[in-house]
Amino acid sequence: MHSVAHLYEAGRDDEAARSEAKRILSSLSYGDDGYFFVYDMQGNSLMHPRQPELVGRNLYDLRDQQGQPTIQKLLQRARAGGGLERYMWIKPSTHKPVAKLGYVVPMPRWGWMLGTGIYLDDV
């Protein structure tokens, strides 16, 4: 949030501000598997630097191998004010599903959910 606060907290709601925020967030990483992602509150992927093929797709109904509604759970957590959520996701470095502990926050004025997380096999 700190990286895009100058755009968001300035009250900017224009497409240029949102595009710049996505650009900034996509450039931030911590290791091969540490990144940030952005969805709108309807489940559309807006930015995912490790899986760009997801951008522009609605993943609201996406379910993991255990049948859990991944994006729905993340959105629910964001709507409740944000926080931690455990789920399965494809780890970029291995291309295999791994348990992940994600953290999401809402950006209500833009209708976004911003998130990140750690893959638990690295812990």
Side-chain angles (χ1 to χ4, degrees), residues 5-122:
H6 66 286
L7 298 166
Y8 190 75
E9 293 174 5
R12 292 187 56 190
D13 291 329
D14 56 283
E15 185 55 38
R18 289 188 292 270
S19 291
E20 178 65 6
K22 288 186 281 188
R23 187 197 65 74
I24 291 167
L25 292 167
S26 71
S27 72
L28 302 175
S29 66
Y30 44 100
D32 292 337
D33 297 311
Y35 55 88
F36 295 86
F37 55 84
V38 177
Y39 286 80
D40 69 17
M41 298 307 277
Q42 291 73 47
N44 294 298
S45 175
L46 302 177
M47 189 278 298
H48 197 300
R50 299 295 193 277
Q51 293 177 290
E53 68 276 7
L54 298 179
V55 176
R57 293 181 48 199
N58 185 292
L59 300 175
Y60 186 82
D61 292 324
L62 178 73
R63 293 183 178 270
D64 67 17
Q65 302 84 329
Q66 299 160 346
Q68 295 296 308
T70 307
I71 304 304
Q72 290 177 37
K73 288 173 60 177
L74 292 170
L75 289 169
Q76 182 178 28
R77 178 71 60 199
R79 285 186 185 106
L84 297 167
E85 189 68 40
R86 190 174 177 158
Y87 59 99
M88 298 294 289
W89 197 259
I90 302 297
K91 187 175 182 180
S93 63
T94 65
H95 305 288
K96 295 181 180 174
V98 175
K100 185 174 183 177
L101 183 61
Y103 184 81
V104 295
V105 295
M107 297 179 76
R109 203 173 65 259
W110 288 356
W112 284 8
M113 170 183 69
L114 168 61
T116 190
I118 57 171
Y119 291 92
L120 295 177
D121 65 336
D122 289 336

